[in-house]
Amino acid sequence: MAGQRGGRGGGRAADAETPTWARELLDHLRPTGRDVRKVVAWLAETVHGTAVLQDDSGTLVAGTPMPLDESLVAGILTGRLASAATEEGGSHLRLVRVEHPDPASAGAGVLAVARPEPFDRRTSDILTHTVQVLELLLRARETTEAGRRLKRATSDLRLAILQLLMVEDTVSARRVAAGLWPGLLDTDTACVYVLEGDAAERDRLAEECLGVTGDRALVVRCPAMDGHVIIVTTGEAAGAALRSLVDRTPGTLLGGSARQSLARTATAYGQAVSALAVARVRPDKAALYAERNRPERLMDPAALRAWTARLLRPLDALPHHTRAELLATTRLGLEFTAVSAAKVLGVSRNTVRARMERVESLLRTDFTDLAVRATVHLALSTQVSLADGQDENGGTRQPRARLDDLLAGPALETWARELLGRLDSDARDLRRTLRSWIAAGGNAERAARALAVHAQTVRDHVRSAEPVLERRLLASGGDLYEVVLAHLATGELAHPDLPRDEQGYPDHPDHPGDPGHPGDSGAPVHG
């Protein structure tokens, strides 16, 4: 017991012998006090003078600027002098070298302290120990900043890989991913999940997604939606891990896509966003995209492929890279807004609009018409299947078909009448409002004028139709286009103006110049 008392007493004695300035300086090394500017300010106050810290380029790091002898500063920076002292006009000045935290750098910093009194042993000790503390803090700051830079660069790299996948450049995406995540994209198919939560908590959620998926998924902070984290995963385990994360994180939602080829990452992303709408009303707050009866599945597949190839033929004359870029951008621009598509692709919204306008010009049509958007979206979705090699007819002659033929099938008409018939039970005549809203290009004000009601009434009716139809309508995308196609199939909306379906157009199925038509030379026609 005596020894323990002596030990404690010795500790108190040692503490009492430690100068007050030393204890104060050590306090600046605590996690809550690591600030170079505060250390320099403390030094100036403690020695009753002024102090300044500047880097090797003369840039102020901390303290109060003061005129310094350039030759002395140069001597310290080059290592010829470790320190220097001058006296001028009743002011005593000390300059001391502060080592740069980056060993690869040839530079260093200079700490200058001026005071009216000469530097005695106490102030010299304070200055020496302060330099040591500053070097420690600068080294820690550089390490922390390097960690932030590395994390930021890794995050940017993940986004770049996602953007390559979005424009179907899977070869480049695999090449970029192989450097940091070997084997991540060594597969032909993947699922996309979108985790939605509080935007303020997104960084933490992204880190948790990285933690639960490890190197088995590509985790990206969505550039378009502040509350979204996008996860591209090639394995099954990641989905279960993400569901578990949602279970223990209140306020989060999870939407997942069906398994798609890597080239259809943009399609999978749209499916995951669509599934979020279902997740909102699910008890477990998670949902996978339902592979329901989609319009294109009810059309004659060979006729649909032939129609798609003919409609998009004007793009065939473009270089492969340009064509793929235009198709991918237009697909995203039709699925989301131009602004969101631009953020996802990492380009400006003007670039997105310019690319879509070029496609409009080549197809000789108008994307402000919702019916046109729906039919072109149908063609672009089918075109992805063609790119995936799902053309079952190979080189055989394709049937000639117009959009009217595709929409006239009995299976499609039955599906369309059943879908829209769900709205008939509502006394507000949601069906009439929805039809007018679509005809007005999704513009509530124009639809309201046609119906002689308030624009807010139109919006409320469209919003009320969403849960009945189980599809998002106010947000542009595949759900809305399905409903538009249903109206076209039932004849409640006029078929859109597609020049390549018009009689007399060189690429019309019944025109003598149509490939495969008797007497045709077989040469492709570019509009």
Side-chain angles (χ1 to χ4, degrees):
M1 295 293 291
Q4 290 177 0
R5 285 193 298 270
R8 287 196 297 270
R12 285 194 298 270
D15 188 61
E17 293 172 1
T18 303
T20 301
W21 65 263
R23 293 197 297 271
E24 292 175 353
L25 183 57
L26 287 173
D27 282 341
H28 286 282
L29 290 175
R30 298 182 186 277
T32 57
R34 296 173 181 173
D35 189 325
V36 169
R37 291 170 298 180
K38 289 182 179 179
V39 173
V40 173
W42 170 87
L43 173 62
E45 181 181 359
T46 304
V47 301
H48 305 295
T50 56
V52 62
L53 175 64
Q54 62 184 41
D55 63 16
D56 55 344
S57 66
T59 302
L60 178 70
V61 176
T64 304
M66 65 178 75
L68 301 176
D69 187 303
E70 293 184 4
S71 61
L72 292 178
V73 171
I76 291 174
L77 291 177
T78 58
R80 183 171 58 85
L81 300 173
S83 63
T86 64
E87 178 186 358
E88 184 177 350
S91 177
H92 299 266
L93 179 67
R94 285 280 184 92
L95 293 88
V96 185
R97 179 185 177 91
V98 177
E99 294 297 336
H100 197 283
D102 183 1
S105 174
V110 175
L111 176 65
V113 180
R115 63 191 303 264
E117 303 294 332
F119 284 81
D120 53 18
R121 181 175 179 178
R122 174 181 175 274
T123 51
S124 295
D125 286 345
I126 292 174
L127 180 57
T128 300
H129 285 86
T130 300
V131 169
Q132 295 171 351
V133 168
L134 286 173
E135 289 176 345
L136 287 172
L137 293 180
L138 289 171
R139 188 172 296 112
R141 186 171 73 174
E142 181 66 21
T143 301
T144 302
E145 184 58 32
R148 288 198 191 99
R149 288 197 299 269
L150 178 60
K151 185 176 292 187
R152 190 182 311 118
T154 305
S155 178
D156 291 344
L157 188 59
R158 290 192 186 98
L159 175 59
I161 294 170
L162 176 67
Q163 290 168 340
L164 289 170
L165 291 175
M166 287 289 192
V167 295
E168 305 175 22
D169 192 351
T170 56
V171 174
S172 297
R174 287 191 177 105
R175 187 179 297 122
V176 174
L180 286 179
W181 304 283
L184 175 63
L185 298 181
D186 289 350
T187 181
D188 294 327
T189 62
C191 290
V192 174
Y193 291 88
V194 175
L195 181 71
E196 180 178 288
D198 185 353
E201 295 291 317
R202 185 170 69 162
D203 286 348
R204 180 184 62 79
L205 288 174
E207 291 299 322
E208 291 200 36
C209 289
L210 285 168
V212 299
T213 60
D215 292 334
R216 305 185 305 277
L218 181 70
V219 179
V220 179
R221 293 163 178 80
C222 179
M225 301 295 292
D226 291 340
H228 287 186
V229 179
I230 303 171
I231 306 101
V232 181
T233 174
T234 58
E236 302 294 338
L242 291 169
R243 284 179 177 269
S244 176
L245 174 59
V246 171
D247 287 342
R248 64 176 184 272
T249 311
T252 57
L253 302 170
L254 181 68
S257 74
R259 184 164 286 276
Q260 301 283 356
S261 69
L262 281 180
R264 300 191 68 176
T265 298
T267 299
Y269 171 57
Q271 291 180 349
V273 172
S274 180
L276 278 177
V278 180
R280 296 182 198 284
V281 297
R282 290 278 297 270
D284 58 357
K285 301 302 179 185
L288 290 178
Y289 182 77
E291 286 290 356
R292 60 199 177 210
N293 267 342
R294 305 180 66 81
E296 59 266 31
R297 294 186 173 186
L298 303 174
M299 299 176 183
D300 180 281
L304 176 60
R305 287 191 291 268
W307 172 80
T308 295
R310 192 182 73 252
L311 183 70
L312 300 180
R313 188 173 296 148
L315 282 75
D316 293 347
L318 301 173
H320 174 76
H321 175 74
T322 302
R323 181 178 185 274
E325 186 177 68
L326 290 178
L327 288 173
T329 302
T330 303
R331 192 177 298 116
L332 275 178
L334 292 176
E335 191 70 39
F336 307 100
T337 65
V339 174
S340 294
K343 291 178 179 177
V344 170
L345 293 172
V347 298
S348 72
R349 57 186 173 183
N350 288 336
T351 298
V352 170
R353 291 184 177 120
R355 291 175 183 174
M356 293 184 68
E357 286 171 1
R358 186 175 182 188
V359 172
E360 275 185 297
S361 176
L362 288 169
L363 300 185
R364 296 180 57 192
T365 192
D366 180 9
F367 285 166
T368 61
D369 185 332
L370 267 181
V372 168
R373 292 172 71 91
T375 50
V376 173
H377 182 269
L378 171 66
L380 292 176
S381 299
T382 306
Q383 183 272 336
V384 172
S385 300
L386 293 174
D388 287 344
Q390 297 178 23
D391 186 353
E392 300 170 354
N393 291 300
T396 62
R397 178 178 171 180
Q398 300 293 306
R400 299 191 298 271
R402 297 181 304 157
L403 179 63
D404 291 354
D405 301 323
L406 298 178
L407 297 174
L412 183 66
E413 184 179 353
T414 300
W415 164 83
R417 293 195 182 283
E418 186 279 327
L419 177 65
L420 299 180
R422 301 178 195 177
L423 301 171
D424 293 340
S425 60
D426 196 299
R428 294 172 293 177
D429 202 352
L430 300 183
R431 189 164 178 170
R432 175 172 174 262
T433 303
L434 182 57
R435 181 172 62 250
S436 298
W437 179 74
I438 292 173
N443 185 288
E445 285 74 16
R446 289 205 301 269
R449 287 195 293 271
L451 294 169
V453 298
H454 195 279
Q456 189 57 45
T457 301
V458 174
R459 296 187 190 97
D460 289 342
H461 284 195
V462 175
R463 190 175 290 109
S464 296
E466 289 185 326
V468 179
L469 299 176
E470 298 180 340
R471 285 161 174 82
R472 297 182 311 147
L473 302 175
L474 290 171
S476 182
D479 283 1
L480 171 60
Y481 299 143
E482 284 189 13
V483 176
V484 174
L485 290 176
H487 281 85
L488 296 177
T490 60
E492 296 179 56
L493 285 176
H495 289 188
D497 180 22
L498 297 175
R500 304 181 89 76
D501 273 339
E502 293 175 359
Q503 294 285 349
Y505 188 82
D507 226 11
H508 184 272
D510 296 327
H511 190 278
D514 178 53
H517 191 282
D520 178 46
S521 65
V525 178
H526 302 293

